[in-house]
Amino acid sequence: MDSKELLKNLNRVNRLIAASLDTESIANVVTNQLCPIVHADLCVFAHYQQETQEFQPSSSDISRTLLPEVLADLVSITSVADTSDPILLRTKELPSRSEASIAIRQMGIAQFLLSTISSSNQLQGIMLLGFSDPKQHVNDFEKSVMSFIASQVATSLEKATLIASLKRQNDQLEGIYQSSLKVNAFLHLKEVIDSVLVSVMDLFPKTSNAQIFLYDGEKLSFEVARWREHETVEPVTIPRKYGLTYLVAQTGEPFIIKNIRNHPLFTDMHSEKNQGVTGIPLKSKGIVVGVMNLVYSSAHETTEEELRLLNLLGAQAAVSIENAKLHQLIESQALTDALTGIPNRRSFESRLRDEILRSARYKHTFGLVTIDIDNFKKINDTYGHPRGDKYLVQFVHCILDEIRDTDFMARLGGDEFVIILPESNLETSTRLVSRLDKVIDSYPYRLPDDRISHHSASFGIAIYPEQAENAEDLMSFADQALYLYKRQKDLEET
C-alpha cells in the first residue's frame, strides 16, 4: 500500500470513528477497519467500564473474542497501562500458565501489539492487534497507526460519554457532532482550523472572536481567527511571551479569565474593556500542538459544562490538525524535488495540464522552456556528486531570481529543468532565455580549489498552442528545440 492510499484509508477510518456516537459504533469501526491497514489477523477492542471496572470486548472475529477477565489479566501482567505507547509482545513471552497466555495461544496468535486508550489520565479501553505468523515483521509503522487510531478513539469515546451524560443539551451535542464531521472532511490545515472556529462560534454565541495558534514546543504561530460580523478589532497575531496563550501552551492546561480588566496577566495592556477570555490547549497524544482562545464581548466565567465541551472540541481539533499536517507532509514530499526544493516532474506534469486547460479556456498563449546544463557530467566526474549537487542548488536559485512569481520552475531529473511561462508568447519567452543565458554564463561558481568557474546551459522553447495543443507534443517540441540549440552551439565552438 503506497503512502497516498495509506493516508486515504487512515482518513476514512478517522472520519468513521469521529462520526460514531456510541461505544458500539466505535468498536465496529476499529475491529472491522484496522486489520487490513496493518495486515493483522485479529483486532480486539475493549471499552473499560469505569462503574464496574471491567472490560467490554469486541473483536474482528466473534469466535475469537477475549473474555473480560483475560483482558484484565493481560493488562496486569504486561503493565501496558503504565505507558502511552503501544507495546509489542510475543505470546511465548507471557507467563505460560496465565489466563492471557493460554487464551491467546489457543487463538493461534504468535505476537501482538497492545495499546491503552486513555483520556484525561483515565483509562478508557485497550486495543489488541494479533499476528499469527511469528516471523511477520511488526515495526514502528504498525505502532504509529495504532497510536494514531487510539488517539482518535479516545477522543470519540469521551465524546460518546459526554453525549450519553448530557442528553438535555441536544442542540450543543448536535453542534459538536456536526463540527466533527466537518473538520474531518478537510485535509488542508487552514480549512481544518477554520472549520473548528466556525463550530466554536456557533456553539458559544457569547464569543466576540476566536483564534487558533499552532505550537511547536517553543514558539507559537498565528493561524486563523474568526469574529462576529459586527466585530472590527484585529486579532492578536503575535502573542505576548508571558501572556495567556503561552501560559496555556506551556502548561497544557486550560486557563479561564473572567475579566481581563482586573487580571494580572493583562496589567501591561491597561485595558478598560470588560471581557472574558478562555484559553484551551489543543493536545494530541498528550502533546500541545496548538492553543484556541475564545474572547467574550463582556465579562464571562466559563462553566465546567462549557469547559468540557471546549476540551472535547480541542481534542478533536488537535487530532484533525495532526492529520492535516501528515497529509501536508506527504503531499509536499510527493510533489517536491528533495535536493533543490522546487517542484518535481510529477508536480510539473500536473501544472502543465492545468495551464493548458486554463489557457484554452481564456484563449491565452503560454511558453514552455526546457533547460539542460552544458557538460554537467564534468563537474560530477571532476569534483564528485556532492559538489555537483551544490551547483544544482545554486543554479536553481540563479534562475528563480530572474523569473516572475507567476512562472513555474521544476526539476525533471538530473540536470534537466523546465519553466512554464503563463500568458507569454515566443517573443517574451525568447527574451527570458536570452537573459538567462547571460546570467548563467556569468554566474561565479566557486570550485573546491577556490577557482571561479562559469558554466552555460542550453534551452528549448515551445509555445502553446502554436507548436502543440497537448502536453506530450508540447514537451516533444521543446526538447527538439533544445537539441537543435545544443547542436548549433557545438558547431559555433568548433
Side-chain angles (χ1 to χ4, degrees):
M1 186 183 300
D2 60 28
S3 59
K4 188 175 182 180
E5 186 66 20
L6 168 63
L7 183 62
K8 179 180 178 181
N9 286 334
L10 283 176
N11 284 332
R12 177 174 54 79
V13 174
N14 185 43
R15 288 195 295 270
L16 289 172
I17 294 172
S20 301
L21 292 179
D22 53 63
T23 305
E24 184 179 355
S25 298
I26 295 170
N28 287 336
V29 173
V30 173
T31 56
N32 293 326
Q33 303 290 332
L34 191 53
C35 279
I37 295 178
V38 295
H39 306 295
D41 301 298
L42 176 70
C43 179
V44 176
F45 167 79
H47 181 225
Y48 185 67
Q49 303 285 347
Q50 300 291 342
E51 299 80 9
T52 61
Q53 295 188 338
E54 288 185 347
F55 289 102
Q56 182 181 345
S58 58
S59 169
S60 56
D61 184 345
I62 298 177
S63 64
R64 297 198 296 173
T65 299
L66 295 173
L67 297 175
E69 55 267 27
V70 172
L71 291 171
D73 183 45
L74 184 61
V75 171
S76 176
I77 63 180
T78 59
S79 300
V80 68
D82 297 332
T83 176
S84 60
D85 297 322
I87 60 173
L88 174 64
L89 288 171
R90 295 186 179 277
T91 305
K92 64 183 181 180
E93 295 173 349
L94 299 174
S96 58
R97 296 185 179 180
S98 65
E99 289 186 69
S101 176
I102 294 171
I104 293 176
R105 278 191 282 109
Q106 288 177 344
M107 295 166 71
I109 299 301
Q111 55 179 328
F112 59 90
L113 273 173
L114 187 64
S115 176
T116 56
I117 301 167
S118 300
S119 175
S120 303
N121 296 319
Q122 194 170 49
L123 181 65
Q124 298 284 333
I126 60 172
M127 286 197 305
L128 181 146
L129 292 175
F131 304 88
S132 301
D133 185 357
K135 297 182 179 180
Q136 182 170 342
H137 185 55
V138 182
N139 55 25
D140 290 341
F141 163 73
E142 287 82 3
K143 289 183 179 181
S144 297
V145 171
M146 194 177 198
S147 181
F148 177 76
I149 296 299
S151 177
Q152 178 62 69
V153 168
T155 302
S156 293
L157 281 175
E158 189 173 4
K159 179 176 65 179
T161 302
L162 182 63
I163 290 174
S165 63
L166 301 177
K167 291 182 179 180
R168 66 182 182 276
Q169 298 186 8
N170 290 329
D171 290 343
Q172 284 187 318
L173 296 178
E174 177 65 18
I176 290 175
Y177 173 56
Q178 292 298 332
S179 170
S180 177
L181 293 179
K182 289 176 183 177
V183 169
N184 284 282
F186 296 115
L187 290 177
H188 295 287
L189 190 58
K190 287 198 177 295
E191 291 177 333
V192 167
I193 295 175
D194 192 57
S195 177
V196 171
L197 292 186
V198 168
S199 298
V200 168
M201 300 291 279
D202 288 342
L203 289 167
F204 297 89
K206 292 182 180 180
T207 56
S208 62
N209 64 80
Q211 309 154 16
I212 284 183
F213 297 80
L214 295 187
Y215 187 59
D216 62 4
E218 293 183 1
K219 186 178 179 181
L220 284 161
S221 59
F222 172 74
E223 279 300 314
V224 175
R226 273 202 165 253
W227 48 90
R228 302 291 171 192
E229 291 183 4
H230 59 78
E231 185 76 25
T232 58
V233 179
E234 288 294 319
V236 178
T237 57
I238 304 177
R240 294 170 299 139
K241 196 65 177 178
Y242 301 101
L244 169 72
T245 310
Y246 266 105
L247 179 64
V248 174
Q250 292 166 354
T251 64
E253 298 294 333
F255 205 87
I256 299 170
I257 297 178
K258 182 178 180 180
N259 194 344
I260 66 172
R261 185 173 182 176
N262 51 22
H263 196 278
L265 278 177
F266 290 85
T267 301
D268 60 335
M269 294 184 67
H270 306 292
S271 177
E272 295 298 321
K273 294 181 178 180
N274 292 307
Q275 287 185 311
V277 180
T278 299
I280 300 295
L282 309 181
K283 293 196 286 188
S284 175
K285 302 175 187 176
I287 298 174
V288 178
V289 299
V291 174
M292 177 170 65
N293 291 334
L294 277 71
V295 180
Y296 294 87
S297 54
S298 59
H300 178 84
E301 187 166 6
T302 300
T303 65
E304 289 187 10
E305 190 174 281
E306 290 174 329
L307 186 59
R308 290 181 66 185
L309 293 171
L310 283 171
N311 282 332
L312 181 58
L313 282 170
Q316 181 66 58
V319 172
S320 299
I321 286 170
E322 290 296 279
N323 191 26
K325 285 182 178 178
L326 177 62
H327 175 268
Q328 192 175 54
L329 176 62
I330 293 176
E331 189 177 62
S332 174
Q333 290 175 340
L335 298 175
T336 304
D337 176 56
L339 174 64
T340 62
I342 63 174
N344 60 14
R345 179 184 288 273
R346 180 180 174 186
S347 181
F348 160 70
E349 290 173 348
S350 175
R351 179 62 176 266
L352 181 58
R353 289 193 298 269
D354 290 343
E355 193 62 38
I356 288 175
L357 291 173
R358 191 182 74 87
S359 297
R361 179 179 180 182
Y362 295 105
K363 308 301 180 184
H364 290 158
T365 62
F366 73 87
L368 182 69
V369 178
T370 52
I371 308 172
D372 188 88
I373 301 173
D374 296 333
N375 302 314
F376 178 70
K377 186 174 182 298
K378 287 185 179 180
I379 300 176
N380 285 333
D381 291 346
T382 305
Y383 299 102
H385 287 278
R387 182 58 61 172
D389 288 347
K390 185 176 180 181
Y391 175 76
L392 287 176
V393 173
Q394 294 183 2
F395 179 83
V396 166
H397 286 298
C398 172
I399 293 180
L400 290 177
D401 287 342
E402 297 298 322
I403 62 178
R404 303 169 298 180
D405 291 339
T406 53
D407 296 336
F408 181 88
M409 181 181 182
R411 183 187 181 195
L412 301 183
D415 61 336
E416 298 177 17
F417 298 87
V418 65
I419 306 174
I420 296 175
L421 307 172
E423 299 183 36
S424 296
N425 53 28
L426 181 59
E427 181 182 354
T428 55
S429 300
T430 302
R431 280 203 304 267
L432 173 65
V433 165
S434 178
R435 189 168 73 252
L436 290 178
D437 192 26
K438 293 176 182 177
V439 170
I440 293 169
D441 184 62
S442 61
Y443 186 81
Y445 178 66
R446 188 174 295 278
L447 299 174
D449 53 14
D450 286 332
R451 289 188 300 110
I452 300 298
S453 174
H454 298 279
H455 296 277
S456 61
S458 295
F459 305 87
I461 300 175
I463 304 299
Y464 172 90
E466 295 175 13
Q467 272 78 51
E469 296 185 1
N470 62 66
E472 184 178 354
D473 291 344
L474 202 64
M475 275 298 296
S476 178
F477 189 95
D479 285 341
Q480 183 65 24
L482 186 146
Y483 170 77
L484 294 174
Y485 189 100
K486 273 185 175 291
R487 188 173 179 183
Q488 181 63 33
K489 286 176 71 173
D490 292 340
L491 291 173
E492 291 174 356
E493 290 176 0
T494 57

